[in-house]
Amino acid sequence: DNVPEKEAKEKNIVVRYPSKETIDIIFEETACFTCGLIFRMLYSNVGTLDPWVKEPRRQLSQQNLLVIGVGKIGSQVAQLMKQFLNVNTFDILHNEESELKPLMQQADCISIHIPNINDNISFIDSQKLSWMKSGAALINASRGPIVNEDALYVELQNNRLIAAFDVFWQEPYCGKLKEFFPDHFFMTPH
């Protein structure tokens, strides 16, 4: 998304992309990393050491994961996580739009894997965030602008949701959501 192909061509700079084998490795690594973020967020409140407080752990087999977008990465995330969680998927190419709200309402964790196209800018907006359960986690490893930053800020500020992102609206990220790092907004560099 960030390669200025037109400008490169004008300056006679050759742009080459990774081979299919390399891309498959990148997809697999991103899917596995996303699974790690899902586990991290589902186990984000296990207690404290000082003072010694043990919180009850979630029974993963009773948790619901919603994977939005089942392309190369989303489909791998869904397949890997089926071993641990109840997994539902939503993809505009396979589902009716009306199916999204009930799926989001029952999800304990939502993982986003949709492309960064104009129709998807702020796809996760204040309305869709309001559909999520209190205490649910939002994982974004696709592109930052898919989620409305201001709407997510309100949800995090109200301690209603938690989130983990490795993609941002500008990178390196210096935005307002950093105030919630690491407990309510876990961040890793893309």
Side-chain angles (χ1 to χ4, degrees):
D1 295 336
N2 298 320
V3 177
E5 292 184 38
K6 182 181 174 189
E7 293 84 357
K9 187 174 184 177
E10 290 170 359
K11 294 178 181 180
N12 293 320
I13 299 171
V14 176
V15 176
R16 293 200 174 120
Y17 293 97
S19 67
K20 181 188 177 327
E21 293 79 17
T22 302
I23 289 173
D24 289 344
I25 291 168
I26 292 168
F27 290 153
E28 179 184 344
E29 192 280 332
T30 302
C32 290
F33 184 75
T34 301
C35 292
L37 292 176
I38 292 167
F39 285 126
R40 185 184 200 292
M41 298 316 286
L42 288 176
Y43 284 125
S44 65
N45 187 21
V46 294
T48 58
L49 297 176
D50 191 19
W52 189 271
V53 176
K54 181 179 179 187
E55 296 291 335
R57 292 189 182 144
R58 293 181 176 204
Q59 184 177 353
L60 284 185
S61 64
Q62 300 301 309
Q63 302 298 299
N64 295 309
L65 170 66
L66 174 61
V67 177
I68 298 177
V70 289
K72 300 269 188 187
I73 297 170
S75 61
Q76 287 187 44
V77 170
Q79 190 62 37
L80 290 166
M81 295 308 290
K82 280 182 181 178
Q83 303 171 67
F84 307 101
L85 306 163
N86 298 315
V87 177
N88 290 304
T89 61
F90 177 88
D91 194 300
I92 199 67
L93 298 177
H94 306 288
N95 299 87
E96 296 296 321
E97 220 173 297
S98 61
E99 295 176 63
L100 183 58
K101 182 176 181 179
L103 289 170
M104 289 185 74
Q105 289 174 324
Q106 67 181 357
D108 298 292
C109 184
I110 297 173
S111 187
I112 306 167
H113 304 280
I114 60 177
N116 189 30
I117 59 174
N118 286 339
D119 288 348
N120 289 341
I121 302 300
S122 290
F123 177 80
I124 302 294
D125 56 11
S126 58
Q127 180 184 37
K128 288 185 182 90
L129 290 171
S130 76
W131 296 344
M132 294 176 67
K133 290 180 184 181
S134 286
L138 180 66
I139 312 296
N140 187 2
S142 60
R143 292 292 182 257
I146 302 291
V147 177
N148 182 287
E149 183 180 17
D150 294 328
L152 182 59
Y153 181 87
V154 169
E155 295 291 347
L156 296 176
Q157 187 178 44
N158 291 332
N159 289 320
R160 207 179 77 72
L161 301 176
I162 57 176
F165 281 41
D166 89 324
V167 291
F168 303 94
W169 300 266
Q170 322 72 37
E171 295 175 6
Y173 183 68
C174 298
K176 59 186 172 183
L177 296 177
K178 284 181 80 172
E179 76 180 75
F180 303 111
F181 177 80
D183 297 327
H184 297 298
F185 187 63
F186 185 72
M187 303 183 299
T188 63
H190 181 63

